[in-house]
Amino acid sequence: MTQLSSPPSPVPPSDIPSALAGTAATPDASAHLEETGGDAETGRLVIVSNRVANLRSTGQAGGLAVGLAETLKERDGIWFGWNGAPDGVTGGEVQVERVGPAEQVTVPLSPKDVAGYYLGYANSVLWPLFHYRLDLVDYRPAFYESYQRVNETFARQLAPFLKDDDLIWVHDYHLIPLARCLRKAGCRQRIGFFLHIPFPPPDILVASPNHAELVEALLDYDVIGFQTQADAVNLKAYLAERSPAVQLDDTRFRVGTRTVTIDRFPIGIDAKGFAAMTREADDEVQIDLMRRQVLGRRQIIGVDRLDYSKGLPERLKAFDRLMAQHPELEKSVTYLQVAPPTREKVGAYGDIRAELEALVGAINGRLADFNWTPIRYIHRSVDRAKLAPLMRGSQVGFVTPLRDGMNLVAKEYVAAQDPADPGVLVLSRFAGAAEEMHEALLVNPYDIDEMARTLYQALTMPLAERRRRHEALLDHVMRHDARAWQEAFLAALSGATGSAARPQQAPS
């Protein structure tokens, strides 16, 4: 839901758009475009993220790397972020490369700050906290100091590149304090923030010793965007309980002399582009599809980073329960789980890998036959050009995170299906996508028996019902695509009036 090649992994792939296509706007986008006169391209677009996409590449792995790189190829702008090398010097030399009308600006980080800012505060504190996993939060004051230091350094390095009328779009939990740091550096441009992962309710957020500072920093943005209405409501509830911010209407808050917009902007995918990939299977994938067709075997597919938030052990247990309850399915159904590694230097990720591999071995050891392996487990990245036809050839898409910002795999699975004979999406109620994709079979990922029953329902669903559900899901995925997401957010940011003294040239 993005897999840039250099470790550590930049942004969770299930939480960002896979590409840009189409021009249809969401209802949210239409409203924002109407309010701002339909012009979401005032000035340059400056994108800031933890990692920078390769703007020269035509074959990005997906996610943010594709979703916004194409936009910068169409308009003047900058993409700014860490260069991904683990052995630099924080605040060191800035590298600038022009690609068409845009500039790719990358900066280094020291090993100490990679450990403290990225692996530490971002991924050992904020990631588990925002995914409701307080038991996995590893808070250390030094992590927060590194997190603040990196954001302050990024702001100092970015400020000289900014122009008066730039729109600055900051992405994800690594960079929550960046607007505050830019304001202190004298920047008065419109700055928006989009959170790709969930935002927790107040009673979970306050478990962080720095919760007040984080929310105060968020309020220095002009537009704060979330994946779901539930995430936006969580921030609004925190403000109502613990902040002097005054709510003006459903989405606008008065913060001192400024107005801040808080709204949902659900991410989409390049549905047309992903669907086109399904018709370009290489020989290896075609052989696999034909073999299953000859043997009359159906396939359940899951595609997730190996992350504790994805509910992978529960998913394997549900498949095992399905086989126990319906032995007639043995040798006729396989489960393919693609789970590429991520953040392997964080201890919790080693634990989930060991648990998953033990489960796969135990289930296969008990059920497998010489010509049937019930679970096929792939612990490496698989090219999207292979995943798309594999999804199309799978009769069930199994997408059951314990908590997820959006989960674009669900949307990709729908886009990949043959409308004449579509598969069935089994989707967690706790994925952000569930707020939109009502025609999927929604499940509680903590309830193993319910997931097993739902898998059986999906495998035995009549064609007419499969077509009806898929038609509605595909219509939504096609209309609410990645470009609609961008148009909605940038229209809101173009119309923002929150900054105190705008526009003003950033200091050089």
Side-chain angles (χ1 to χ4, degrees), residues 264-282:
R264 67 182 288 266
F265 300 88
I267 284 182
I269 64 168
D270 173 12
K272 294 178 181 177
F274 196 80
M277 285 187 196
T278 66
R279 297 184 286 273
E280 301 173 359
D282 62 17

Side-chain angles (χ1 to χ4, degrees), residues 277-350:
M277 285 187 196
T278 66
R279 297 184 286 273
E280 301 173 359
D282 62 17
D283 291 344
E284 184 180 11
V285 173
Q286 287 183 9
I287 291 170
D288 179 70
L289 295 174
M290 287 188 293
R291 178 177 178 274
R292 284 194 288 109
Q293 186 175 17
V294 168
L295 295 173
R297 288 179 180 166
R298 289 164 292 174
Q299 180 165 277
I300 300 167
I301 190 169
V303 180
D304 311 82
R305 288 174 307 106
L306 186 55
D307 188 285
Y308 52 77
S309 68
K310 301 301 182 182
L312 298 180
E314 292 80 3
R315 214 177 294 181
L316 293 176
K317 293 174 185 177
F319 179 79
D320 190 24
R321 191 73 50 86
L322 171 70
M323 292 294 107
Q325 293 173 351
H326 297 279
E328 72 276 11
L329 295 179
E330 290 187 11
K331 298 186 180 181
S332 68
V333 177
T334 60
Y335 173 25
L336 171 63
Q337 178 62 57
V338 179
T342 183
R343 305 186 192 113
E344 294 182 289
K345 294 182 179 179
V346 178
Y349 291 84

Side-chain angles (χ1 to χ4, degrees), residues 63-372:
L64 193 62
V66 175
L68 295 174
E70 292 301 317
T71 296
L72 287 183
K73 293 176 183 178
E74 298 171 0
R75 64 186 287 184
D76 189 16
I78 292 174
W79 196 324
F80 176 97
W82 174 36
N83 63 17
D87 56 355
V89 176
T90 301
E93 183 179 359
V94 177
Q95 299 291 327
V96 181
E97 182 179 4
R98 177 160 289 279
V99 182
E103 287 183 322
Q104 185 172 287
V105 181
T106 56
V107 296
L109 286 178
S110 68
K112 179 180 178 180
D113 283 327
V114 172
Y117 148 78
Y118 180 76
L119 295 173
Y121 197 76
N123 287 308
S124 296
V125 178
L126 292 182
W127 179 268
L129 179 72
F130 282 24
H131 285 85
Y132 300 49
R133 290 299 304 271
L134 295 180
D135 58 313
L136 296 177
V137 171
D138 181 15
Y139 178 81
R140 305 178 196 179
F143 288 170
Y144 186 67
E145 293 170 6
S146 179
Y147 183 72
Q148 289 289 345
R149 178 171 58 252
V150 168
N151 274 271
E152 290 166 0
T153 304
F154 280 4
R156 287 197 303 270
Q157 293 175 305
L158 173 61
F161 290 92
L162 299 178
K163 296 182 179 180
D164 292 352
D165 59 350
D166 285 343
L167 293 180
I168 305 172
W169 193 0
V170 180
H171 288 265
D172 230 359
Y173 58 105
H174 315 82
L175 302 171
I176 290 173
L178 189 65
R180 171 153 292 191
C181 298
L182 287 170
R183 302 295 186 209
K184 289 179 179 178
C187 298
R188 295 296 179 265
Q189 290 85 351
R190 286 164 287 191
I191 310 177
F193 176 81
F194 186 79
L195 184 67
H196 291 263
I197 66 175
F199 190 84
D203 59 341
I204 290 180
L205 182 60
V206 296
S208 166
N210 310 114
H211 63 90
E213 296 98 315
L214 289 172
V215 174
E216 288 171 5
L218 270 178
L219 295 177
D220 274 317
Y221 290 96
D222 296 306
V223 177
I224 304 168
F226 295 102
Q227 299 275 25
T228 68
Q229 189 63 38
D231 294 327
V233 166
N234 285 340
L235 177 56
K236 294 173 187 179
Y238 181 97
L239 297 180
E241 294 176 10
R242 297 176 174 270
S243 168
V246 177
Q247 186 161 2
L248 302 177
D249 56 31
D250 186 51
T251 62
R252 295 184 307 130
F253 285 74
R254 176 70 65 187
V255 181
T257 60
R258 301 174 54 251
T259 301
V260 177
T261 296
I262 300 172
D263 207 351
R264 67 182 288 266
F265 300 88
I267 284 182
I269 64 168
D270 173 12
K272 294 178 181 177
F274 196 80
M277 285 187 196
T278 66
R279 297 184 286 273
E280 301 173 359
D282 62 17
D283 291 344
E284 184 180 11
V285 173
Q286 287 183 9
I287 291 170
D288 179 70
L289 295 174
M290 287 188 293
R291 178 177 178 274
R292 284 194 288 109
Q293 186 175 17
V294 168
L295 295 173
R297 288 179 180 166
R298 289 164 292 174
Q299 180 165 277
I300 300 167
I301 190 169
V303 180
D304 311 82
R305 288 174 307 106
L306 186 55
D307 188 285
Y308 52 77
S309 68
K310 301 301 182 182
L312 298 180
E314 292 80 3
R315 214 177 294 181
L316 293 176
K317 293 174 185 177
F319 179 79
D320 190 24
R321 191 73 50 86
L322 171 70
M323 292 294 107
Q325 293 173 351
H326 297 279
E328 72 276 11
L329 295 179
E330 290 187 11
K331 298 186 180 181
S332 68
V333 177
T334 60
Y335 173 25
L336 171 63
Q337 178 62 57
V338 179
T342 183
R343 305 186 192 113
E344 294 182 289
K345 294 182 179 179
V346 178
Y349 291 84
D351 295 341
I352 191 69
R353 176 179 178 179
E355 181 182 5
L356 199 66
E357 291 177 350
L359 278 169
V360 170
I363 295 169
N364 280 343
R366 188 174 67 255
L367 296 179
D369 204 343
F370 72 92
N371 66 348
W372 176 62

Side-chain angles (χ1 to χ4, degrees), residues 421-422 424 457-469:
D421 186 19
V424 179
Q457 179 186 355
L459 289 166
T460 58
M461 184 178 291
L463 178 60
E465 183 179 356
R466 286 191 279 122
R467 285 177 174 171
R468 175 180 61 79
R469 289 176 179 270

